[in-house]
Amino acid sequence: MSFISRRLSEIKPSPTLMLAQKAEDLKTQGRDIINLTVGEPDFQTPSHICEGARVAMLSGQTKYTAVAGTLALRKAISEKFKNDNNLKYDPNQILVSNGGKQVIFNAMMATINPGDEVIIPAPFWVSYADIVALFEGKPVIVSTSPKNNFKLLSEDLDKVITPKTKWLFLNSPSNPTGSIYSREDLQKLAKVLLKHPHVHILTDDMYEYLIYDNLEFTTIASVEPQLYDRTLTVNGVSKAYSMTGWRIGYAGGPKDLIKAMMTVQSQSTTNPCSIAQAAALCALEGSREFLKNWLTEFTERRNLVVQLLAKIPELKLIPPQGAFYAFTDCHGVINKTTPTGSKIESDSDFAAYLLEDQGVALVPGSSFGLGPYIRISFATNQTVLKDACERIQQAVLKLSD
Ligand code: GLU
């Protein structure tokens, strides 16, 4: 009998984090690696936020905080929800955790009984299905099509809801596709959900501020107020404020659900880091002026990647509408042969070849539940991105039929 639990044997380590680590290890060994795996902005956390953390440390904010997060931070989050999303979440309807991932983890631990079903549209962020499985829930993966920009169709949602469905996961802008659900898209999904009052909705809005071409951001509880009582609206400071390492995510939701999630958190990490919470407070209360420049830069990066990948006929990319990932169709390289004689049978083979041949590290689409695709994170500077795309082009040119 294994010492490791049966439940854990079903769970794989986060592929984004594992591949990022692998790329960094290869760099340490002296390999020339371009790491486009993990999604995190390369910008410095704005200095007023770091300053807030420094002041917090020196003024003694170094002790435990309330489990759910400091009242000051929860009030600021409540304001954010009101101002940005037209959602009224009182501070006692808000939980702050160590990143959006812990918010989702707490929610699943608080609600999933073995066999409960969770609908996850694919492609999906790598951790959703594993977190559900960790609590013996059943991820119900629903395919989407590039024809519909990888968005869940209401008729497909209708088909997969059963009496056992506990949650539907939504993520817009999406990691990995960058697709954005419009108000009309959400209204259509809401219409189906209103027929099934036992289904809760977890919406992961982590990329809310990273939207291109002036598209509108909307979130389901504000689009359909009748769903408010069964929606958990998840967000965080990681992507918008370049604060991935500070680990602050949060959610607004029904009081009883938040309370249950708090119970989970009180038995695991107690509270998120007091200093990081003080920094997040500065982020939420401070000016977002800097975001304009970041968005301009991200837009240029997106355009550059779209333009450079268009030169490679074997690859196809729908220009992402938000976030900072290019989820690229690589059907065109499948069954081709590398210079060393190996056949590319999957996106994982292609990703391994790009790493080996050109030192470009990225994540295969199959990790997100859809292959053969590759996810390129373009949260890095344009010189590096240009180099990376040229290397990918070189690698593809070397393949034979
Ligand atoms: N959300 C980021 C990504 O997909 C961070 C890494 C992770 O936790 O997966 O790359």
Side-chain angles (χ1 to χ4, degrees):
M1 256 235 301
S2 167
F3 181 56
I4 305 301
S5 71
R6 177 179 47 76
R7 199 185 292 180
L8 203 74
S9 66
E10 318 264 297
I11 309 299
K12 57 183 181 316
S14 161
T16 43
L17 302 184
M18 290 306 109
L19 287 165
Q21 185 61 53
K22 184 172 174 192
E24 289 311 309
D25 290 348
L26 289 170
K27 265 191 198 172
T28 312
Q29 289 161 23
R31 289 257 334 251
D32 169 23
I33 299 290
I34 301 183
N35 186 356
L36 306 178
T37 54
V38 77
E40 63 176 348
D42 56 334
F43 304 119
Q44 287 286 343
T45 303
S47 54
H48 68 278
I49 298 175
C50 297
E51 181 58 20
R54 194 183 72 87
V55 170
M57 270 189 280
L58 295 176
S59 66
Q61 293 182 51
T62 51
K63 313 284 187 199
Y64 295 132
T65 71
V67 169
T70 63
L71 184 59
L73 180 55
R74 282 180 290 128
K75 278 185 176 162
I77 292 168
S78 172
E79 282 296 302
K80 180 255 173 261
F81 277 130
K82 188 169 82 195
N83 298 335
D84 291 351
N85 311 119
N86 197 23
L87 286 173
K88 185 175 171 342
Y89 289 122
D90 291 335
N92 64 358
Q93 290 181 274
I94 290 169
L95 178 76
V96 186
S97 299
N98 294 283
K101 197 183 272 179
Q102 197 196 9
V103 173
I104 298 169
F105 194 96
N106 288 341
M108 293 305 109
M109 188 173 222
T111 59
I112 294 291
N113 293 315
D116 283 349
E117 295 175 1
V118 177
I119 298 171
I120 305 177
F124 49 79
W125 178 47
V126 292
S127 290
Y128 294 154
D130 281 293
I131 294 177
V132 169
L134 193 54
F135 301 111
E136 301 188 32
K138 184 176 161 210
V140 176
I141 308 300
V142 187
S143 305
T144 63
S145 158
K147 283 195 208 103
N148 191 42
N149 209 354
F150 303 105
K151 287 184 285 191
L152 176 66
L153 294 173
S154 54
E155 51 269 35
D156 292 337
L157 172 63
D158 209 10
K159 276 186 224 145
V160 291
I161 293 177
T162 75
K164 285 190 168 176
T165 306
K166 196 143 221 179
W167 288 96
L168 161 69
F169 277 26
L170 292 175
N171 173 215
S172 170
S174 149
N175 174 5
T177 65
S179 305
I180 293 175
Y181 283 79
S182 68
R183 189 170 286 276
E184 295 70 40
D185 294 329
L186 292 177
Q187 276 161 347
K188 283 186 197 153
L189 294 177
K191 212 169 155 197
V192 174
L193 291 161
L194 286 173
K195 292 194 296 179
H196 303 280
H198 66 292
V199 179
H200 286 64
I201 304 104
L202 184 152
T203 173
D204 176 351
D205 298 351
M206 194 57 85
Y207 295 89
E208 169 177 5
Y209 296 144
L210 299 177
I211 291 192
Y212 309 115
D213 310 325
N214 293 318
L215 289 172
E216 184 199 18
F217 172 82
T218 45
T219 190
I220 195 148
S222 68
V223 168
E224 179 44 84
Q226 290 184 72
L227 293 176
Y228 171 84
D229 284 336
R230 47 184 168 119
T231 300
L232 185 69
T233 307
V234 180
N235 212 317
V237 295
S238 292
K239 314 291 176 178
Y241 300 93
S242 201
M243 291 179 70
T244 47
W246 301 77
R247 308 307 303 131
I248 295 291
Y250 57 82
K255 243 187 243 165
D256 52 347
L257 171 62
I258 293 293
K259 197 166 157 229
M261 290 163 65
M262 235 172 83
T263 302
V264 173
Q265 185 155 295
S266 77
Q267 297 292 9
S268 58
T269 59
T270 303
N271 57 263
C273 166
S274 60
I275 299 152
Q277 287 189 65
L281 178 61
C282 284
L284 291 177
E285 287 186 336
S287 157
R288 290 210 302 261
E289 239 348 83
F290 66 89
L291 248 180
K292 283 193 191 134
N293 292 338
W294 288 10
L295 259 184
T296 307
E297 178 60 31
F298 274 130
T299 306
E300 283 174 14
R301 291 172 180 184
R302 180 206 53 172
N303 295 347
L304 179 73
V305 170
V306 168
Q307 179 204 325
L308 293 176
L309 292 182
K311 293 185 183 167
I312 311 173
E314 288 82 355
L315 304 182
K316 287 194 181 66
L317 171 65
I318 301 173
Q321 301 172 312
F324 35 62
Y325 306 109
F327 196 64
T328 308
D329 180 334
C330 61
H331 281 86
V333 300
I334 301 300
N335 289 328
K336 294 205 182 242
T337 306
T338 70
T340 56
S342 337
K343 200 165 192 183
I344 295 190
E345 288 175 351
S346 64
D347 50 16
S348 302
D349 288 350
F350 184 46
Y353 166 61
L354 291 174
L355 183 60
E356 188 48 45
D357 193 71
Q358 297 287 332
V360 178
L362 33 76
V363 188
S366 41
S367 299
F368 303 89
L370 186 69
Y373 281 80
I374 46 171
R375 188 193 78 169
I376 300 168
S377 166
F378 56 83
T380 191
N381 73 60
Q382 295 187 45
T383 313
V384 172
L385 288 173
K386 191 158 175 283
D387 187 8
C389 290
E390 281 165 4
R391 291 190 197 196
I392 295 171
Q393 187 171 22
Q394 282 311 309
V396 173
L397 279 173
K398 285 202 237 166
L399 297 173
S400 53
D401 286 325

